[in-house]
């Protein structure tokens, strides 16, 4: 049997298009599918050919995004990249505040929150450098 892998994670966001654009800009991903979803919502599947994030918004009758009760105890999404410094620069250019830059086994990393308060950990296992403040 092949090793199990995570195919997707479904996140509730206020604007799936905005979140998908951020992920495309940061990681070079593409939209795999988008359309109507459960409870009158809208979903965008954005990622690679083998895995993706489903970013979902359920709207009330006025089109205002509703929170999704299953968001806890979710902590963050971890994404592995080859060039940590490049993604850090892209995140900063998008107006995202990056923090907790660190370098410890097994790799370098930093974090940011998106516009919905979802925390992302960006990590690279191939670039070891001294940690930044």
């Amino acid at each position: 049997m092949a090793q199990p892998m995570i195919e997707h994670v479904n996140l509730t966001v206020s604007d799936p298009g905005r979140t998908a654009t951020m992920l495309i800009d940061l990681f070079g991903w593409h939209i795999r599918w988008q359309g109507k979803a459960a409870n009158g919502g809208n979903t965008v599947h954005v990622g690679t050919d083998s895995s993706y994030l489903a970013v979902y918004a359920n709207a009330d009758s006025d089109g205002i995004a509703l929170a999704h009760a299953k968001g806890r105890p979710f902590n963050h999404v971890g994404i592995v990249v080859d060039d940590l410094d490049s993604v850090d620069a892209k995140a900063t250019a998008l107006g995202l505040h990056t923090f907790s830059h660190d370098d410890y086994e097994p790799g370098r990393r930093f974090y940011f929150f998106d516009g919905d308060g979802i925390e992302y950990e960006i990590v690279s296992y191939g670039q070891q450098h001294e940690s930044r403040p």
Side-chain angles (χ1 to χ4, degrees), residues 46-130:
V46 60
T48 68
D49 290 339
S50 60
S51 65
Y52 62 95
L53 292 179
V55 289
Y56 165 81
N58 181 22
D60 69 8
S61 60
D62 295 323
I64 298 170
L66 299 173
H68 199 283
K70 294 192 297 187
R72 295 189 189 269
F74 180 80
N75 288 316
H76 62 254
V77 176
I79 299 174
V80 177
V81 299
D82 289 332
D83 187 343
L84 192 72
D85 295 329
S86 173
V87 175
D88 193 355
K90 290 176 186 178
T92 300
L94 290 174
L96 300 166
H97 170 70
T98 64
F99 61 93
S100 293
H101 295 81
D102 213 340
D103 184 356
Y104 57 85
E105 290 299 326
R108 290 177 59 215
R109 68 204 69 244
F110 70 88
Y111 298 78
F112 68 86
F113 288 98
D114 73 3
D116 291 302
I118 297 171
E119 185 177 53
Y120 292 80
E121 177 184 1
I122 312 305
V123 64
S124 176
Y125 296 118
Q127 300 176 316
Q128 296 298 112
H129 297 287
E130 289 186 35

Side-chain angles (χ1 to χ4, degrees), residues 9 14 21 23-25 31 43 61 70 84 92 95 97-98 122 133:
V9 173
S14 60
T21 297
L23 296 169
I24 290 166
D25 289 348
I31 293 175
T43 299
S61 60
K70 294 192 297 187
L84 192 72
T92 300
H97 170 70
T98 64
I122 312 305

